[in-house]
Amino acid sequence: MRATVIHAPHDIRVQEVPDPSIQQPTDVMLRVLRACICGSDLWAYRGESARQPGQRIGHEFLGIVEEAGSEVAGFAVGDLVVAPFVWSDGSCTYCAQGLTTSCPQGGFWGSVGSDGGQGEAVRVPFADGTLVKLPAAAAFDDHLLTALLALSDVLGTGHHAAVGAGVKPGTTVAVVGDGAVGLCGVMAAKRLGAERIIALGRHQVRTDIARAFGATDVVAERGEAAVEAVRELLGGEGAHAVIEAVGTEQSMRTAVGITRDGGSIGYVGVPHGSGTGLDLGVMFDRNIALRGGVAPVRTYIPELLPDVLSGTIDPSPVFDLTIGLDDVPAGYKAMDDRTALKVLIKP
């Protein structure tokens, strides 16, 4: 089969690799219908996170079950399924409490020795604990299929940030970051009943999506200017809940600066270059809570799926460029150049 591999920074290739096969009785082999490129994939692309030459890449996908191991109980050949970006066994104590990303037997797609999502097929370990079945008819609805793909990562990650930030009806929310996760954070805040949502972003195409997703205000400034602008909008106080969806030192400083005393920050931006960005003394003095991390998307999919199927929420606008598998290297360049927000792949 063909799959995307990374050989070095800025060296992404689509090449022939061994076909996946059932290795354990709890595996399924899945044919990929939709995949995409994540903003976090760009850190490997830019050389800011280490990868072995020839390692697979990609962690967001959905598809059709082509083969199932003898111990797989919940899925059969022909089922349409979505995969969260981490596989998990579904039976450990962490999975039982909903923290599937800490499953001792879990792992990330594209890690050494595993298939990546940006290919024609994927071997899925622990299928019963990992995959979620989708309505068969969705396979023939291109728009819905695209919306459902967001369940594999960005929609659940935005929701995780909103939950971590304590968003509830009547709260004021600020969202740092205008990437796909930040935009889904806006959608999640609206879904959870936020009264006012301030999106921080400088690109009108993206902030227009933020407004469509529920943002009531947009702040284009950065750094201290952004802090001043948000506080001016809120009568000198910060937001009750802040979503941090970037992961840099500056973005975290901004998040702390725009949080109201006694408020909370939900952080889901993958940290890069942020080793000295948090001043615990400031957070201590102002009673600011910090909660977030890697989103246990598998736990959130059953909650979010009905709203996507009904059209109550539609995250599909975050995908603004569609390509075939052969064009994946160009897709990475487009996202790195910020000419694309999030690239959809149709193998």
Side-chain angles (χ1 to χ4, degrees):
M1 71 168 191
R2 293 179 305 151
T4 305
V5 298
I6 182 167
H7 288 269
H10 300 282
D11 185 1
I12 294 282
R13 307 177 197 174
V14 178
Q15 61 189 56
E16 293 290 326
V17 300
D19 291 337
S21 60
I22 301 296
Q23 297 179 18
Q24 300 292 332
T26 52
D27 292 349
V28 305
M29 197 278 282
L30 183 150
R31 174 169 54 88
V32 177
L33 292 183
R34 294 289 185 277
C36 54
I37 301 172
C38 183
S40 65
D41 292 331
L42 295 180
W43 306 127
Y45 181 72
R46 295 166 180 162
E48 296 182 36
S49 60
R51 294 292 189 276
Q52 293 184 7
Q55 189 173 337
R56 308 285 181 83
I57 196 167
H59 54 261
E60 300 164 279
F61 60 95
L62 56 74
I64 301 290
V65 174
E66 294 279 289
E67 185 179 358
S70 60
E71 294 182 12
V72 174
F75 303 97
V77 172
D79 283 346
L80 177 67
V81 296
V82 62
F85 65 85
V86 172
W87 72 77
S88 52
D89 64 20
S91 60
C92 71
T93 55
Y94 285 111
C95 288
Q97 72 183 59
L99 195 60
T100 52
T101 50
S102 291
C103 177
Q105 297 196 87
F108 290 80
W109 311 111
S111 56
V112 175
S114 74
D115 294 322
Q118 296 164 12
E120 293 181 314
V122 174
R123 179 183 75 89
V124 178
F126 302 107
D128 285 328
T130 300
L131 300 174
V132 177
K133 190 180 296 186
L134 303 173
F140 306 99
D141 185 332
D142 188 69
H143 183 91
L144 178 58
L145 208 58
T146 299
L148 291 167
L149 177 61
L151 289 166
S152 65
D153 184 349
V154 289
L155 183 58
T157 298
H159 178 74
H160 186 56
V163 170
V167 177
K168 57 186 178 182
T171 50
T172 296
V173 181
V175 180
V176 181
D178 61 1
V181 170
L183 294 174
C184 286
V186 171
M187 176 174 282
K190 176 70 172 179
R191 179 179 175 274
L192 292 173
E195 182 176 292
R196 190 172 189 182
I197 303 171
I198 303 169
L200 281 70
R202 308 179 73 175
H203 304 85
Q204 185 174 345
V205 171
R206 299 184 180 199
T207 55
D208 284 350
I209 295 174
R211 289 189 183 277
F213 282 3
T216 55
D217 305 89
V218 170
V219 167
E221 289 84 359
R222 286 187 175 179
E224 287 302 316
V227 174
E228 292 175 7
V230 171
R231 288 188 171 271
E232 183 176 352
L233 282 172
L234 300 177
E237 297 181 342
H240 298 107
V242 174
I243 290 172
E244 192 286 314
V246 182
T248 63
E249 179 173 329
Q250 177 180 287
S251 65
M252 188 60 80
R253 287 187 182 276
T254 298
V256 172
I258 63 177
T259 304
R260 178 190 181 102
D261 285 18
S264 300
I265 300 170
Y267 71 105
V268 292
V270 178
H272 48 282
S274 56
T276 60
L278 264 183
D279 187 335
L280 292 180
V282 171
M283 297 181 67
F284 180 87
D285 290 343
R286 296 176 51 214
N287 278 282
I288 293 175
L290 180 67
R291 187 170 179 84
V294 185
V297 167
R298 175 59 181 83
T299 298
Y300 296 135
I301 292 176
E303 176 184 349
L304 298 171
L305 176 58
D307 282 357
V308 176
L309 291 174
S310 69
T312 302
I313 56 174
D314 178 12
S316 65
V318 302
F319 300 99
D320 61 343
L321 177 62
T322 300
I323 60 173
L325 191 57
D326 289 337
D327 293 323
V328 167
Y332 271 83
K333 187 175 188 306
M335 285 184 62
D336 191 40
D337 292 342
R338 296 183 71 85
T339 58
L341 167 59
K342 190 167 182 65
V343 175
L344 175 71
I345 304 167
K346 294 183 177 181

